């Protein structure tokens, strides 16, 4: 669907200068020609963010994993992207090394080194000074600071909780498929790990006008029985609380994993709306989209990429979220005034 802006808002923002464009996507098989990457270049993205499953490694043999990265490097479409667009990346399970794996994966340190080598991480990068691949990038756009936080939702993650027979038996009628996992009922199991949480708090306390949090797993969806932040509800709430406690404004999530595109929106109490822009399907597709009461746009089931355009020179700055499919059709357009991503101080009763 295309979301039409009210005439009043269009009049208010006027005509902005050329935006800063952040393209993003996930789920790219190394044996696929990936023509969608050529479309990213055609759309003049300034940055492309790989959100995980950047290839399908799924191995305990690091020579096999390395060879699969080499297959990706050889593709003309990837070479075109790398020559014309700055690339940032985090990972999800398949490029981490094993389907649905977390901290138990035995080869995570070796896999990290291959990941950093492939994406050309500088030798003096802070990513090389800690476990995992979480990282922050800062970009100046029209006199404003854009913070890109690349989360690592694999290296430190505790095991997910398998859906038991009672969960299967008593599942919501909307779930016409078998559930893989169920939410952890008690706090304790972590998704990000203590060190990454401490780092994230420090980053959210820094000054920034737009904060883009990139996560391999979807953040803003409701529980659907597959991998997502919803399987760690206390961690999901911790993120919401941390954004509120640090007064971090301008937060928007970019996520992947599910092989379709959608926009989800959370309405946390005492905060502003948290948007989750999911683009997943650079080469992969899926048969159906899961139930998601937080979905406001989508799903798009064709191969696609996402685009977040930052109109920060407008008199009223705004973000424009889009999804473009493999036939170069715009399938989603959703505009978010930057002022919507701000805390509103409640009036104190006298």
């Amino acid at each position: 669907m295309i979301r039409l802006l009210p005439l009043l808002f269009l009049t208010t923002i006027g005509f902005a200068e050329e935006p800063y464009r952040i393209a993003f996507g996930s789920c790219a098989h190394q044996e696929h020609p990936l023509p969608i990457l050529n479309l990213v270049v055609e759309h003049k993205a300034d940055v492309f963010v790989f959100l995980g499953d950047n290839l399908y490694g799924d191995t305990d043999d690091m020579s096999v994993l390395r060879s699969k990265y080499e297959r990706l490097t050889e593709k003309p479409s990837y070479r075109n992207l790398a020559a014309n667009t700055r690339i940032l990346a985090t990972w999800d399970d398949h490029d981490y090394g094993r389907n649905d794996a977390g901290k138990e994966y035995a080869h995570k340190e070796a896999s990290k080194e291959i990941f950093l080598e492939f994406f050309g991480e500088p030798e003096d990068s802070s990513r090389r000074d800690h476990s995992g691949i979480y990282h922050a990038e800062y970009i100046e756009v029209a006199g404003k600071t854009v913070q890109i936080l690349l989360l690592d939702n694999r290296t430190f993650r505790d095991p997910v909780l398998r859906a038991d027979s009672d969960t299967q038996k008593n599942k919501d009628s909307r779930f016409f498929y078998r559930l893989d996992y169920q939410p952890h009922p008690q706090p304790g199991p972590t998704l990000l790990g203590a060190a990454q949480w401490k780092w994230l708090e420090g980053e959210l306390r820094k000054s920034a006008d737009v904060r883009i949090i990139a996560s391999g797993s979807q953040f803003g969806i409701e529980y659907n029985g597959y991998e997502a932040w919803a399987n760690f509800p206390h961690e999901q709430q911790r993120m919401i609380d941390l954004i509120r406690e640090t007064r971090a404004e301008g937060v928007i999530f970019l996520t992947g994993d599910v092989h379709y595109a959608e926009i989800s929106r959370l309405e946390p109490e005492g905060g502003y709306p948290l948007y989750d822009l999911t683009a997943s399907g650079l080469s992969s597709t899926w048969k159906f989209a899961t139930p998601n009461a937080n979905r406001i746009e989508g799903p798009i089931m064709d191969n696609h990429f996402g685009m977040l355009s930052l109109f920060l020179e407008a008199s009223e700055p705004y973000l424009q979220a889009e999804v473009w499919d493999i036939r170069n059709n715009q399938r989603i357009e959703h505009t978010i005034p930057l002022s919507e991503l701000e805390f509103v101080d409640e009036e104190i009763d006298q």
Side-chain angles (χ1 to χ4, degrees):
M1 290 178 60
I2 295 179
R3 178 176 180 265
L4 298 178
L5 291 177
L7 180 60
L8 177 61
F9 183 64
L10 286 172
T11 303
T12 301
I13 63 177
F15 291 98
E17 299 292 331
E18 191 75 5
Y20 190 85
R21 297 182 176 93
I22 300 174
F24 54 99
S26 61
C27 305
H29 201 285
Q30 64 277 0
E31 300 301 327
H32 192 281
L34 296 172
I36 195 77
L37 299 182
N38 292 323
L39 281 181
V40 173
V41 175
E42 288 183 25
H43 282 259
K44 300 180 179 180
D46 295 285
V47 174
F48 185 83
V49 182
F50 278 101
L51 293 166
D53 295 345
N54 308 318
L55 52 77
Y56 286 76
D58 299 297
T59 182
D60 291 332
D61 186 335
M62 293 300 99
S63 65
V64 170
L65 182 60
R66 188 179 298 276
S67 69
K68 290 182 177 181
Y69 273 107
E70 291 171 355
R71 289 284 293 136
L72 187 56
T73 305
E74 294 167 357
K75 294 187 184 306
S77 59
Y78 182 83
R79 289 179 178 271
N80 185 28
L81 179 71
N84 291 282
T85 309
R86 184 183 180 190
I87 294 175
L88 300 176
T90 187
W91 60 18
D92 200 32
D93 53 340
H94 293 290
D95 43 343
Y96 178 59
R98 184 181 298 163
N99 182 50
D100 293 358
K103 67 180 183 181
E104 74 281 358
Y105 182 60
H107 305 283
K108 57 188 176 184
E109 291 301 326
S111 178
K112 171 185 173 177
E113 289 306 311
I114 296 172
F115 173 95
L116 296 181
E117 177 184 335
F118 175 79
F119 286 109
E121 196 72 23
E123 288 300 321
D124 60 352
S125 169
S126 61
R127 266 180 159 169
R128 299 184 182 277
D129 297 332
H130 60 73
S131 296
I133 62 166
Y134 58 86
H135 187 62
E137 290 281 343
Y138 288 83
I139 302 169
E140 293 300 314
V141 178
K144 293 181 170 60
T145 300
V146 178
Q147 179 190 60
I148 301 178
L149 302 175
L150 303 165
L151 299 186
D152 181 343
N153 61 307
R154 293 294 162 185
T155 302
F156 313 99
R157 197 204 70 185
D158 284 319
V160 283
L161 186 62
R162 285 283 177 185
D164 56 27
S165 58
D166 287 340
T167 301
Q168 300 288 357
K169 180 180 178 181
N170 300 317
K171 64 184 180 183
D172 191 300
S173 60
R174 295 180 303 155
F175 300 132
F176 55 88
Y177 52 91
R178 182 175 179 81
L179 306 177
D180 288 344
Y181 306 113
Q182 62 189 52
H184 283 282
Q186 301 296 329
T190 185
L191 199 154
L192 297 185
Q196 188 172 187
W197 274 116
K198 183 178 180 180
W199 164 83
L200 181 59
E201 178 177 355
E203 292 298 326
L204 290 179
R205 292 191 183 280
K206 295 178 181 178
S207 177
D209 298 285
V210 179
R211 304 172 192 272
I212 297 169
I213 300 181
S215 166
S217 295
Q218 289 184 290
F219 178 80
I221 66 166
E222 65 172 331
Y223 165 75
N224 64 12
Y226 292 155
E227 281 200 304
W229 279 73
N231 292 326
F232 294 81
H234 299 91
E235 294 280 272
Q236 187 181 44
Q237 186 61 47
R238 183 175 180 176
M239 177 70 81
I240 293 169
D241 293 343
L242 184 61
I243 292 170
R244 183 174 60 246
E245 290 165 6
T246 58
R247 305 295 287 180
E249 297 183 328
V251 171
I252 193 162
F253 289 83
L254 304 183
T255 65
D257 180 46
V258 293
H259 299 184
Y260 52 85
E262 63 183 343
I263 300 179
S264 304
R265 182 173 60 200
L266 286 176
E267 302 277 357
E269 184 177 351
Y272 56 82
L274 294 178
Y275 289 88
D276 182 348
L277 316 181
T278 299
S280 171
L282 294 170
S283 68
S284 302
T285 57
W286 193 241
K287 299 179 289 295
F288 61 88
T290 64
N292 178 17
N294 301 334
R295 182 186 296 129
I296 61 171
E297 296 279 6
I300 306 302
M301 309 304 294
D302 299 302
N303 289 149
H304 63 273
F305 70 92
M307 181 79 84
L308 182 65
S309 298
L310 313 182
F311 291 86
L312 301 183
E313 292 186 287
S315 56
E316 295 290 337
Y318 63 98
L319 314 178
Q320 185 181 68
E322 300 170 88
V323 170
W324 291 84
D325 71 19
I326 189 61
R327 293 174 295 278
N328 205 20
N329 293 317
Q330 186 198 54
R331 304 289 293 276
I332 289 176
E333 179 184 309
H334 191 91
T335 299
I336 306 168
L338 193 55
S339 60
E340 186 180 355
L341 308 181
E342 297 176 352
F343 291 100
V344 177
D345 294 326
E346 296 181 359
E347 294 184 4
I348 300 176
D349 295 332
Q350 301 294 325

